Amino acid sequence: MKKFFYCLILLITICAVFACTGMAPKEQVIGSDNCYLVDFNSGRVLYAKGENDKKPIASMVKIMTLLITFENVDSGKLSLDQKVTISHEAAAQVGSEMFLDEGVEYPLSDLIKGIVTMSANDASVAVAELIGGDEVAFTGMMNQRAAALGMNDTLFSNATGYPTKEEQYSTAKDVACMMRELAKHKEYYNFSTIWLEDYTHPSGRVTQMANTNKLIRHYKGCDAGKTGYTDSAKFCLAGTAVRDGMRVVGSVLGAQDSKARFRAMSTLFNYGFNNFKNVVLVKGGSPLSVDVKVNGGKKDKLAVMAKSDLSVLQAKGEGNAKLEYNIPESVKAPINCGDKIGEVYAVIDGQKVAVCDVLAAEEIKKASIWDYVKKIM
C-alpha cells in the first residue's frame, strides 16, 4: 500500500511538471517582471507579463535607429556602401563605441555593423546625423515611426539609449513590436549573425567587435537580437529565433544580471517552440481546387492560385485550421495572369486568423465571334 502511495505521488508530480511546462513558463525561471513573446508572421501573442509597464530600455533604443536606417536603405534613399563622414559629436560619444575617427569617411555598412554587434553609440549618432541632419531631428523621426507602429507607450530622447536628463522609456510589448518590424529586413541578418570580427578602420587601426547577444551562438535558431544595460534599466534583451519554419520574437526587461536575461529569453523561446507549431495550409503559387467560371472568354473555367504561403500558428489543443474562400462564382474576360480574384482565409474555431490573396493562374482572352461559333458547332 505504501509503495502504491509513493508511486501515485510521483505520477502526480510528473504530470504537474509537464502541465506547467506546457501551459506557461515558470515565473521564477523567467527572471523578469516584464516580458513578451509573439509569433513573427501573425503577431499573435504567445506569452505576456507586465508587458505595458513603462521602463527604461537602455541600448535597445538602437532597434529603432536600425529600423529607420534599413527602411532608408530598402527604399533606395541610402546605400550600404555610401561614405559617411564622422562628425565631432559622433566621435565624442561615450559608453559603448567602435572608436570612430573624427573627420574620416566610413562605409554605412561598417557603421551598421558596429551598432548591431557591439552597440556602438558613436556609429548610432553618425547614422542619425546622416538621415536626420542631426540627432535631435532624427529622434523626432524615431518617435514618429514609433507612433505609426502603434507603440503608444514609448518615448525616445536620443538615438543611442544612453541616459540623459530627458525622459525616455518603452515597454516589453513595444520593444517586441519594433524588433519584429526590424526582423522583416533580410539585410539585417547579414549583420546580426556576426559573432566576432577584427574590424580595420580606414587608418589601419583595429577594433575587435564582439556580439553582445550571446544567444546567436548558444541558442539553436536565434539569429538576431539587441541587448541593453544601464543602472536604471538593468539587463534587457530583445531577440528572434526560428525553428521548423516558425519564427518568434521576444523581449525581456529589467533582468537582474546578464545571464538572467539570456536565460529568460531562452525560456520564452522554448515555450513558444514547445507549445505552438506553424502549419502551412496553402503553398504560394500552388493551384487551388476552386471552380471559377469565366464569362465571355476563350475558356469557360479559370485556374487560380495562392499568391503566397498561407500558414497559421496552432497551439496544442486547438482545433484544426480550415480554409474559407471569398471568390466570385464567375469572372468576366479578359483576365491577366496574376490578377487578383479573391481571398482565401485560414479559420480556427470560427475565427479568421490569416488571409492570402487568390490570383489568376493563367491568361484568358476575350472570346471572339468565331469562338462562339465553334462552341455552338
Side-chain angles (χ1 to χ4, degrees):
M1 187 69 182
K2 189 178 292 186
K3 287 183 178 180
F4 172 77
F5 178 75
Y6 287 144
C7 289
L8 182 61
I9 293 295
L10 179 61
L11 180 61
I12 292 173
T13 302
I14 293 173
C15 291
V17 169
F18 276 101
C20 290
T21 302
M23 292 303 294
K26 294 181 181 180
E27 294 187 2
Q28 63 268 29
V29 174
I30 292 181
S32 169
D33 292 328
N34 308 102
C35 54
Y36 201 66
L37 184 72
V38 298
D39 172 48
F40 171 76
N41 288 325
S42 66
R44 176 177 174 176
V45 180
L46 308 183
Y47 186 81
K49 178 185 176 186
E51 69 275 18
N52 294 315
D53 296 343
K54 295 179 182 178
K55 302 281 185 178
I57 61 170
S59 287
M60 290 200 299
V61 163
K62 296 184 180 81
I63 297 173
M64 182 58 75
T65 302
L66 288 167
L67 172 59
I68 293 176
T69 302
F70 279 109
E71 286 177 342
N72 275 267
V73 170
D74 288 350
S75 67
K77 294 179 180 179
L78 298 176
S79 64
L80 292 174
D81 57 357
Q82 77 178 80
K83 302 296 184 180
V84 182
T85 302
I86 306 304
S87 69
H88 172 75
E89 289 75 14
Q93 293 298 306
V94 295
S96 301
E97 54 181 317
M98 59 186 295
F99 306 103
L100 298 172
D101 294 318
E102 180 180 345
V104 176
E105 289 186 336
Y106 286 77
L108 176 59
S109 59
D110 288 358
L111 301 180
I112 292 174
K113 186 187 300 182
I115 300 171
V116 175
T117 58
M118 58 189 305
S119 193
N121 291 336
D122 48 1
S124 297
V125 173
V127 168
E129 292 173 342
L130 171 68
I131 298 174
D134 58 50
E135 188 180 8
V136 174
F138 182 79
T139 303
M141 297 170 64
M142 294 170 67
N143 285 312
Q144 290 177 0
R145 190 68 182 98
L149 289 172
M151 297 167 55
N152 300 320
D153 296 313
T154 294
L155 178 65
F156 299 113
S157 64
N158 58 36
T160 63
Y162 195 80
T164 63
K165 294 180 180 179
E166 291 80 15
E167 194 174 19
Q168 183 163 228
Y169 55 80
S170 189
T171 66
K173 180 179 179 180
D174 283 0
V175 168
C177 174
M178 63 178 174
M179 184 69 221
R180 181 182 173 221
E181 200 67 23
L182 177 59
K184 295 177 181 179
H185 295 269
K186 295 181 180 179
E187 194 72 42
Y188 166 56
Y189 297 98
N190 292 331
F191 301 93
S192 65
T193 52
I194 296 172
W195 176 241
L196 285 173
E197 180 177 314
D198 287 331
Y199 174 69
T200 303
H201 294 258
S203 64
R205 181 169 49 85
V206 176
T207 297
Q208 187 178 72
M209 291 183 174
N211 202 316
T212 58
N213 176 24
K214 308 307 179 186
L215 292 187
I216 64 165
R217 186 166 185 176
H218 300 298
Y219 188 91
K220 181 182 177 181
C222 182
D223 53 5
K226 183 71 193 76
T227 60
Y229 171 78
T230 61
D231 289 341
S232 58
K234 298 182 181 178
F235 293 86
C236 307
L237 176 64
T240 179
V242 59
R243 287 184 186 176
D244 299 324
M246 172 184 166
R247 179 177 289 280
V248 294
V249 178
S251 61
V252 172
L253 275 58
Q256 292 301 313
D257 56 56
S258 184
K259 289 183 179 179
R261 67 179 166 191
F262 294 125
R263 186 166 57 246
M265 187 64 75
S266 297
T267 302
L268 287 175
F269 284 163
N270 287 339
Y271 172 71
F273 293 132
N274 290 339
N275 291 277
F276 299 87
K277 62 179 179 178
N278 189 61
V279 180
V280 179
L281 303 174
V282 176
K283 293 290 292 181
S286 62
L288 300 175
S289 301
V290 180
D291 289 331
V292 181
K293 296 179 181 179
V294 179
N295 296 325
K298 289 182 174 292
K299 294 180 64 176
D300 295 329
K301 290 185 179 181
L302 172 68
V304 295
M305 63 182 179
K307 181 179 180 180
S308 59
D309 287 357
L310 178 62
S311 60
V312 296
L313 191 74
Q314 286 190 227
K316 293 180 180 179
E318 277 187 336
N320 292 328
K322 299 179 180 179
L323 295 178
E324 287 187 5
Y325 295 93
N326 179 24
I327 298 176
E329 291 185 3
S330 62
V331 293
K332 187 176 181 179
I335 301 164
N336 295 316
C337 183
D339 284 350
K340 181 178 177 180
I341 304 301
E343 300 90 20
V344 55
Y345 298 93
V347 181
I348 297 179
D349 297 332
Q351 298 293 320
K352 294 178 180 178
V353 296
V355 62
C356 174
D357 287 345
V358 174
L359 309 180
E362 59 183 331
E363 178 187 12
I364 298 181
K365 295 181 179 180
K366 193 173 182 178
S368 64
I369 295 177
W370 178 243
D371 291 319
Y372 287 113
V373 171
K374 287 195 292 183
K375 288 181 181 180
I376 294 173
M377 294 176 62

mmCIF file of all heavy atoms in Angstrom, residues 129-171:
data_model
loop_
_atom_site.group_PDB
_atom_site.id
_atom_site.type_symbol
_atom_site.label_atom_id
_atom_site.label_comp_id
_atom_site.label_asym_id
_atom_site.label_seq_id
_atom_site.Cartn_x
_atom_site.Cartn_y
_atom_site.Cartn_z
ATOM 1 N N GLU A 129 22.787 61.431 -37.764
ATOM 2 C CA GLU A 129 23.111 62.683 -38.448
ATOM 3 C C GLU A 129 22.994 62.540 -39.956
ATOM 4 O O GLU A 129 22.571 63.480 -40.649
ATOM 5 C CB GLU A 129 24.534 63.124 -38.063
ATOM 6 C CG GLU A 129 24.663 63.545 -36.600
ATOM 7 C CD GLU A 129 26.100 63.806 -36.181
ATOM 8 O OE1 GLU A 129 27.028 63.339 -36.887
ATOM 9 O OE2 GLU A 129 26.291 64.484 -35.159
ATOM 10 N N LEU A 130 23.353 61.395 -40.469
ATOM 11 C CA LEU A 130 23.237 61.144 -41.907
ATOM 12 C C LEU A 130 21.786 61.232 -42.364
ATOM 13 O O LEU A 130 21.472 61.839 -43.385
ATOM 14 C CB LEU A 130 23.810 59.757 -42.238
ATOM 15 C CG LEU A 130 23.585 59.252 -43.665
ATOM 16 C CD1 LEU A 130 24.380 60.085 -44.666
ATOM 17 C CD2 LEU A 130 23.967 57.777 -43.777
ATOM 18 N N ILE A 131 20.884 60.624 -41.599
ATOM 19 C CA ILE A 131 19.480 60.536 -42.008
ATOM 20 C C ILE A 131 18.695 61.783 -41.624
ATOM 21 O O ILE A 131 17.904 62.309 -42.413
ATOM 22 C CB ILE A 131 18.824 59.283 -41.398
ATOM 23 C CG1 ILE A 131 19.530 58.025 -41.904
ATOM 24 C CG2 ILE A 131 17.332 59.238 -41.735
ATOM 25 C CD1 ILE A 131 19.057 56.741 -41.245
ATOM 26 N N GLY A 132 18.909 62.258 -40.392
ATOM 27 C CA GLY A 132 18.097 63.364 -39.895
ATOM 28 C C GLY A 132 18.736 64.731 -39.960
ATOM 29 O O GLY A 132 18.070 65.739 -39.710
ATOM 30 N N GLY A 133 20.017 64.804 -40.270
ATOM 31 C CA GLY A 133 20.725 66.077 -40.253
ATOM 32 C C GLY A 133 21.434 66.294 -38.937
ATOM 33 O O GLY A 133 22.572 66.750 -38.884
ATOM 34 N N ASP A 134 20.745 65.977 -37.842
ATOM 35 C CA ASP A 134 21.344 65.966 -36.505
ATOM 36 C C ASP A 134 20.565 64.971 -35.655
ATOM 37 O O ASP A 134 19.506 64.488 -36.057
ATOM 38 C CB ASP A 134 21.369 67.361 -35.870
ATOM 39 C CG ASP A 134 19.987 67.980 -35.753
ATOM 40 O OD1 ASP A 134 19.062 67.317 -35.232
ATOM 41 O OD2 ASP A 134 19.818 69.125 -36.187
ATOM 42 N N GLU A 135 21.105 64.661 -34.482
ATOM 43 C CA GLU A 135 20.490 63.623 -33.650
ATOM 44 C C GLU A 135 19.115 64.035 -33.136
ATOM 45 O O GLU A 135 18.218 63.192 -32.999
ATOM 46 C CB GLU A 135 21.402 63.273 -32.478
ATOM 47 C CG GLU A 135 20.923 62.066 -31.682
ATOM 48 C CD GLU A 135 21.819 61.712 -30.516
ATOM 49 O OE1 GLU A 135 22.744 62.499 -30.214
ATOM 50 O OE2 GLU A 135 21.585 60.647 -29.898
ATOM 51 N N VAL A 136 18.928 65.330 -32.868
ATOM 52 C CA VAL A 136 17.635 65.802 -32.365
ATOM 53 C C VAL A 136 16.535 65.572 -33.398
ATOM 54 O O VAL A 136 15.452 65.058 -33.083
ATOM 55 C CB VAL A 136 17.718 67.300 -31.989
ATOM 56 C CG1 VAL A 136 16.331 67.832 -31.609
ATOM 57 C CG2 VAL A 136 18.690 67.506 -30.837
ATOM 58 N N ALA A 137 16.806 65.942 -34.632
ATOM 59 C CA ALA A 137 15.816 65.748 -35.694
ATOM 60 C C ALA A 137 15.550 64.262 -35.918
ATOM 61 O O ALA A 137 14.406 63.845 -36.146
ATOM 62 C CB ALA A 137 16.295 66.400 -36.984
ATOM 63 N N PHE A 138 16.621 63.453 -35.860
ATOM 64 C CA PHE A 138 16.453 62.018 -36.055
ATOM 65 C C PHE A 138 15.608 61.413 -34.926
ATOM 66 O O PHE A 138 14.786 60.529 -35.170
ATOM 67 C CB PHE A 138 17.815 61.329 -36.104
ATOM 68 C CG PHE A 138 17.746 59.847 -36.358
ATOM 69 C CD1 PHE A 138 17.539 59.359 -37.643
ATOM 70 C CD2 PHE A 138 17.885 58.943 -35.320
ATOM 71 C CE1 PHE A 138 17.459 57.997 -37.883
ATOM 72 C CE2 PHE A 138 17.816 57.579 -35.541
ATOM 73 C CZ PHE A 138 17.605 57.108 -36.834
ATOM 74 N N THR A 139 15.793 61.908 -33.706
ATOM 75 C CA THR A 139 14.998 61.410 -32.586
ATOM 76 C C THR A 139 13.516 61.688 -32.817
ATOM 77 O O THR A 139 12.653 60.869 -32.477
ATOM 78 C CB THR A 139 15.462 62.051 -31.271
ATOM 79 O OG1 THR A 139 16.863 61.793 -31.079
ATOM 80 C CG2 THR A 139 14.688 61.491 -30.091
ATOM 81 N N GLY A 140 13.218 62.829 -33.419
ATOM 82 C CA GLY A 140 11.829 63.116 -33.785
ATOM 83 C C GLY A 140 11.292 62.105 -34.778
ATOM 84 O O GLY A 140 10.129 61.673 -34.684
ATOM 85 N N MET A 141 12.138 61.696 -35.719
ATOM 86 C CA MET A 141 11.737 60.672 -36.684
ATOM 87 C C MET A 141 11.483 59.342 -35.981
ATOM 88 O O MET A 141 10.562 58.597 -36.345
ATOM 89 C CB MET A 141 12.820 60.513 -37.747
ATOM 90 C CG MET A 141 13.061 61.748 -38.591
ATOM 91 S SD MET A 141 14.534 61.630 -39.649
ATOM 92 C CE MET A 141 14.063 60.289 -40.732
ATOM 93 N N MET A 142 12.293 59.042 -34.983
ATOM 94 C CA MET A 142 12.117 57.800 -34.219
ATOM 95 C C MET A 142 10.763 57.780 -33.522
ATOM 96 O O MET A 142 10.047 56.767 -33.552
ATOM 97 C CB MET A 142 13.237 57.660 -33.187
ATOM 98 C CG MET A 142 14.626 57.478 -33.770
ATOM 99 S SD MET A 142 15.938 57.601 -32.526
ATOM 100 C CE MET A 142 15.622 56.134 -31.541
ATOM 101 N N ASN A 143 10.396 58.885 -32.909
ATOM 102 C CA ASN A 143 9.109 58.952 -32.214
ATOM 103 C C ASN A 143 7.934 58.903 -33.183
ATOM 104 O O ASN A 143 6.898 58.307 -32.874
ATOM 105 C CB ASN A 143 9.051 60.222 -31.355
ATOM 106 C CG ASN A 143 9.901 60.108 -30.099
ATOM 107 O OD1 ASN A 143 9.843 59.118 -29.376
ATOM 108 N ND2 ASN A 143 10.713 61.126 -29.842
ATOM 109 N N GLN A 144 8.107 59.495 -34.352
ATOM 110 C CA GLN A 144 7.059 59.424 -35.371
ATOM 111 C C GLN A 144 6.864 57.994 -35.858
ATOM 112 O O GLN A 144 5.728 57.533 -36.033
ATOM 113 C CB GLN A 144 7.404 60.344 -36.542
ATOM 114 C CG GLN A 144 7.308 61.826 -36.237
ATOM 115 C CD GLN A 144 7.734 62.688 -37.405
ATOM 116 O OE1 GLN A 144 8.120 62.191 -38.470
ATOM 117 N NE2 GLN A 144 7.680 63.999 -37.222
ATOM 118 N N ARG A 145 7.973 57.300 -36.062
ATOM 119 C CA ARG A 145 7.874 55.911 -36.531
ATOM 120 C C ARG A 145 7.250 55.032 -35.456
ATOM 121 O O ARG A 145 6.460 54.126 -35.760
ATOM 122 C CB ARG A 145 9.272 55.386 -36.887
ATOM 123 C CG ARG A 145 9.244 54.031 -37.604
ATOM 124 C CD ARG A 145 8.655 54.161 -38.973
ATOM 125 N NE ARG A 145 8.573 52.879 -39.677
ATOM 126 C CZ ARG A 145 7.464 52.134 -39.740
ATOM 127 N NH1 ARG A 145 6.353 52.546 -39.139
ATOM 128 N NH2 ARG A 145 7.464 50.994 -40.401
ATOM 129 N N ALA A 146 7.596 55.283 -34.199
ATOM 130 C CA ALA A 146 7.015 54.515 -33.100
ATOM 131 C C ALA A 146 5.505 54.710 -33.055
ATOM 132 O O ALA A 146 4.744 53.745 -32.879
ATOM 133 C CB ALA A 146 7.646 54.932 -31.776
ATOM 134 N N ALA A 147 5.048 55.947 -33.238
ATOM 135 C CA ALA A 147 3.613 56.224 -33.236
ATOM 136 C C ALA A 147 2.920 55.507 -34.392
ATOM 137 O O ALA A 147 1.812 54.968 -34.233
ATOM 138 C CB ALA A 147 3.380 57.732 -33.331
ATOM 139 N N ALA A 148 3.573 55.489 -35.554
ATOM 140 C CA ALA A 148 2.990 54.817 -36.722
ATOM 141 C C ALA A 148 2.857 53.320 -36.500
ATOM 142 O O ALA A 148 1.953 52.678 -37.056
ATOM 143 C CB ALA A 148 3.843 55.098 -37.958
ATOM 144 N N LEU A 149 3.746 52.745 -35.691
ATOM 145 C CA LEU A 149 3.703 51.312 -35.399
ATOM 146 C C LEU A 149 2.754 50.981 -34.249
ATOM 147 O O LEU A 149 2.607 49.814 -33.890
ATOM 148 C CB LEU A 149 5.108 50.803 -35.056
ATOM 149 C CG LEU A 149 6.107 50.726 -36.214
ATOM 150 C CD1 LEU A 149 7.502 50.388 -35.697
ATOM 151 C CD2 LEU A 149 5.660 49.700 -37.251
ATOM 152 N N GLY A 150 2.138 51.999 -33.662
ATOM 153 C CA GLY A 150 1.235 51.768 -32.546
ATOM 154 C C GLY A 150 1.954 51.592 -31.225
ATOM 155 O O GLY A 150 1.375 51.059 -30.262
ATOM 156 N N MET A 151 3.207 52.053 -31.148
ATOM 157 C CA MET A 151 3.972 51.963 -29.904
ATOM 158 C C MET A 151 3.609 53.160 -29.021
ATOM 159 O O MET A 151 4.370 54.118 -28.870
ATOM 160 C CB MET A 151 5.472 51.929 -30.221
ATOM 161 C CG MET A 151 5.901 50.716 -31.022
ATOM 162 S SD MET A 151 7.585 50.846 -31.717
ATOM 163 C CE MET A 151 8.565 51.184 -30.247
ATOM 164 N N ASN A 152 2.444 53.088 -28.418
ATOM 165 C CA ASN A 152 1.872 54.230 -27.716
ATOM 166 C C ASN A 152 2.498 54.491 -26.351
ATOM 167 O O ASN A 152 2.234 55.528 -25.738
ATOM 168 C CB ASN A 152 0.361 54.040 -27.566
ATOM 169 C CG ASN A 152 -0.334 53.916 -28.908
ATOM 170 O OD1 ASN A 152 -0.002 54.620 -29.853
ATOM 171 N ND2 ASN A 152 -1.298 53.003 -28.998
ATOM 172 N N ASP A 153 3.290 53.554 -25.854
ATOM 173 C CA ASP A 153 3.908 53.702 -24.539
ATOM 174 C C ASP A 153 5.421 53.841 -24.645
ATOM 175 O O ASP A 153 6.165 53.379 -23.775
ATOM 176 C CB ASP A 153 3.549 52.507 -23.647
ATOM 177 C CG ASP A 153 2.057 52.437 -23.362
ATOM 178 O OD1 ASP A 153 1.483 53.493 -23.019
ATOM 179 O OD2 ASP A 153 1.473 51.346 -23.492
ATOM 180 N N THR A 154 5.876 54.473 -25.722
ATOM 181 C CA THR A 154 7.312 54.630 -25.966
ATOM 182 C C THR A 154 7.651 56.086 -26.212
ATOM 183 O O THR A 154 6.911 56.794 -26.902
ATOM 184 C CB THR A 154 7.743 53.782 -27.179
ATOM 185 O OG1 THR A 154 7.584 52.405 -26.867
ATOM 186 C CG2 THR A 154 9.196 54.038 -27.537
ATOM 187 N N LEU A 155 8.762 56.530 -25.656
ATOM 188 C CA LEU A 155 9.279 57.870 -25.903
ATOM 189 C C LEU A 155 10.795 57.797 -26.001
ATOM 190 O O LEU A 155 11.468 57.297 -25.094
ATOM 191 C CB LEU A 155 8.884 58.829 -24.776
ATOM 192 C CG LEU A 155 9.415 60.270 -24.910
ATOM 193 C CD1 LEU A 155 8.803 60.948 -26.131
ATOM 194 C CD2 LEU A 155 9.136 61.068 -23.646
ATOM 195 N N PHE A 156 11.342 58.270 -27.124
ATOM 196 C CA PHE A 156 12.782 58.304 -27.329
ATOM 197 C C PHE A 156 13.304 59.721 -27.100
ATOM 198 O O PHE A 156 12.633 60.699 -27.455
ATOM 199 C CB PHE A 156 13.142 57.868 -28.748
ATOM 200 C CG PHE A 156 12.715 56.468 -29.090
ATOM 201 C CD1 PHE A 156 11.734 56.234 -30.043
ATOM 202 C CD2 PHE A 156 13.306 55.380 -28.469
ATOM 203 C CE1 PHE A 156 11.339 54.947 -30.369
ATOM 204 C CE2 PHE A 156 12.916 54.079 -28.789
ATOM 205 C CZ PHE A 156 11.929 53.862 -29.735
ATOM 206 N N SER A 157 14.505 59.838 -26.524
ATOM 207 C CA SER A 157 15.131 61.144 -26.358
ATOM 208 C C SER A 157 16.481 61.230 -27.060
ATOM 209 O O SER A 157 17.071 62.302 -27.137
ATOM 210 C CB SER A 157 15.304 61.480 -24.871
ATOM 211 O OG SER A 157 16.197 60.582 -24.245
ATOM 212 N N ASN A 158 16.979 60.109 -27.575
ATOM 213 C CA ASN A 158 18.197 60.114 -28.386
ATOM 214 C C ASN A 158 18.258 58.837 -29.213
ATOM 215 O O ASN A 158 17.365 57.984 -29.120
ATOM 216 C CB ASN A 158 19.460 60.279 -27.531
ATOM 217 C CG ASN A 158 19.607 59.193 -26.469
ATOM 218 O OD1 ASN A 158 19.258 58.035 -26.684
ATOM 219 N ND2 ASN A 158 20.126 59.578 -25.306
ATOM 220 N N ALA A 159 19.304 58.715 -30.023
ATOM 221 C CA ALA A 159 19.424 57.580 -30.940
ATOM 222 C C ALA A 159 20.190 56.411 -30.350
ATOM 223 O O ALA A 159 20.349 55.377 -31.000
ATOM 224 C CB ALA A 159 20.103 58.030 -32.233
ATOM 225 N N THR A 160 20.680 56.555 -29.112
ATOM 226 C CA THR A 160 21.563 55.544 -28.529
ATOM 227 C C THR A 160 20.973 54.816 -27.327
ATOM 228 O O THR A 160 21.353 53.694 -27.029
ATOM 229 C CB THR A 160 22.884 56.192 -28.084
ATOM 230 O OG1 THR A 160 22.598 57.157 -27.048
ATOM 231 C CG2 THR A 160 23.568 56.888 -29.245
ATOM 232 N N GLY A 161 20.083 55.490 -26.588
ATOM 233 C CA GLY A 161 19.596 54.924 -25.341
ATOM 234 C C GLY A 161 20.448 55.288 -24.147
ATOM 235 O O GLY A 161 20.152 54.910 -23.011
ATOM 236 N N TYR A 162 21.529 56.049 -24.401
ATOM 237 C CA TYR A 162 22.402 56.471 -23.297
ATOM 238 C C TYR A 162 21.618 57.408 -22.380
ATOM 239 O O TYR A 162 20.880 58.271 -22.857
ATOM 240 C CB TYR A 162 23.644 57.173 -23.847
ATOM 241 C CG TYR A 162 24.753 57.328 -22.835
ATOM 242 C CD1 TYR A 162 25.599 56.260 -22.560
ATOM 243 C CD2 TYR A 162 24.954 58.531 -22.160
ATOM 244 C CE1 TYR A 162 26.635 56.387 -21.632
ATOM 245 C CE2 TYR A 162 25.977 58.667 -21.237
ATOM 246 C CZ TYR A 162 26.805 57.585 -20.964
ATOM 247 O OH TYR A 162 27.813 57.709 -20.048
ATOM 248 N N PRO A 163 21.740 57.244 -21.058
ATOM 249 C CA PRO A 163 20.936 58.046 -20.123
ATOM 250 C C PRO A 163 21.129 59.551 -20.325
ATOM 251 O O PRO A 163 22.250 60.037 -20.484
ATOM 252 C CB PRO A 163 21.465 57.604 -18.751
ATOM 253 C CG PRO A 163 22.024 56.244 -18.977
ATOM 254 C CD PRO A 163 22.595 56.265 -20.356
ATOM 255 N N THR A 164 20.008 60.280 -20.307
ATOM 256 C CA THR A 164 20.023 61.740 -20.414
ATOM 257 C C THR A 164 19.057 62.312 -19.380
ATOM 258 O O THR A 164 18.346 61.573 -18.696
ATOM 259 C CB THR A 164 19.579 62.196 -21.816
ATOM 260 O OG1 THR A 164 18.212 61.786 -22.032
ATOM 261 C CG2 THR A 164 20.450 61.591 -22.894
ATOM 262 N N LYS A 165 19.019 63.632 -19.289
ATOM 263 C CA LYS A 165 18.086 64.285 -18.376
ATOM 264 C C LYS A 165 16.651 64.174 -18.887
ATOM 265 O O LYS A 165 15.702 64.214 -18.115
ATOM 266 C CB LYS A 165 18.466 65.761 -18.198
ATOM 267 C CG LYS A 165 19.808 65.975 -17.504
ATOM 268 C CD LYS A 165 20.117 67.458 -17.373
ATOM 269 C CE LYS A 165 21.460 67.671 -16.670
ATOM 270 N NZ LYS A 165 21.800 69.110 -16.554
ATOM 271 N N GLU A 166 16.505 64.052 -20.203
ATOM 272 C CA GLU A 166 15.176 63.936 -20.797
ATOM 273 C C GLU A 166 14.585 62.545 -20.511
ATOM 274 O O GLU A 166 15.305 61.554 -20.407
ATOM 275 C CB GLU A 166 15.224 64.160 -22.313
ATOM 276 C CG GLU A 166 15.544 65.582 -22.727
ATOM 277 C CD GLU A 166 17.026 65.887 -22.650
ATOM 278 O OE1 GLU A 166 17.824 64.919 -22.549
ATOM 279 O OE2 GLU A 166 17.398 67.072 -22.690
ATOM 280 N N GLU A 167 13.260 62.511 -20.415
ATOM 281 C CA GLU A 167 12.579 61.253 -20.151
ATOM 282 C C GLU A 167 12.673 60.343 -21.366
ATOM 283 O O GLU A 167 12.589 60.802 -22.508
ATOM 284 C CB GLU A 167 11.105 61.519 -19.804
ATOM 285 C CG GLU A 167 10.390 60.336 -19.193
ATOM 286 C CD GLU A 167 8.991 60.675 -18.742
ATOM 287 O OE1 GLU A 167 8.441 61.690 -19.212
ATOM 288 O OE2 GLU A 167 8.438 59.925 -17.920
ATOM 289 N N GLN A 168 12.833 59.058 -21.122
ATOM 290 C CA GLN A 168 12.976 58.078 -22.197
ATOM 291 C C GLN A 168 12.524 56.718 -21.672
ATOM 292 O O GLN A 168 13.016 56.268 -20.641
ATOM 293 C CB GLN A 168 14.431 58.026 -22.658
ATOM 294 C CG GLN A 168 14.702 57.088 -23.823
ATOM 295 C CD GLN A 168 16.035 57.368 -24.500
ATOM 296 O OE1 GLN A 168 16.105 57.463 -25.695
ATOM 297 N NE2 GLN A 168 17.113 57.508 -23.743
ATOM 298 N N TYR A 169 11.590 56.079 -22.370
ATOM 299 C CA TYR A 169 11.052 54.821 -21.858
ATOM 300 C C TYR A 169 10.377 54.027 -22.982
ATOM 301 O O TYR A 169 10.109 54.542 -24.076
ATOM 302 C CB TYR A 169 10.037 55.082 -20.742
ATOM 303 C CG TYR A 169 8.897 56.008 -21.140
ATOM 304 C CD1 TYR A 169 7.797 55.550 -21.877
ATOM 305 C CD2 TYR A 169 8.931 57.359 -20.791
ATOM 306 C CE1 TYR A 169 6.774 56.394 -22.242
ATOM 307 C CE2 TYR A 169 7.905 58.224 -21.159
ATOM 308 C CZ TYR A 169 6.821 57.733 -21.887
ATOM 309 O OH TYR A 169 5.812 58.579 -22.269
ATOM 310 N N SER A 170 10.076 52.763 -22.677
ATOM 311 C CA SER A 170 9.290 51.912 -23.567
ATOM 312 C C SER A 170 8.705 50.784 -22.730
ATOM 313 O O SER A 170 8.771 50.811 -21.496
ATOM 314 C CB SER A 170 10.145 51.365 -24.714
ATOM 315 O OG SER A 170 9.341 50.710 -25.677
ATOM 316 N N THR A 171 8.141 49.793 -23.380
ATOM 317 C CA THR A 171 7.551 48.634 -22.708
ATOM 318 C C THR A 171 8.010 47.357 -23.392
ATOM 319 O O THR A 171 8.505 47.393 -24.528
ATOM 320 C CB THR A 171 6.014 48.689 -22.745
ATOM 321 O OG1 THR A 171 5.573 48.545 -24.116
ATOM 322 C CG2 THR A 171 5.489 50.008 -22.188
#
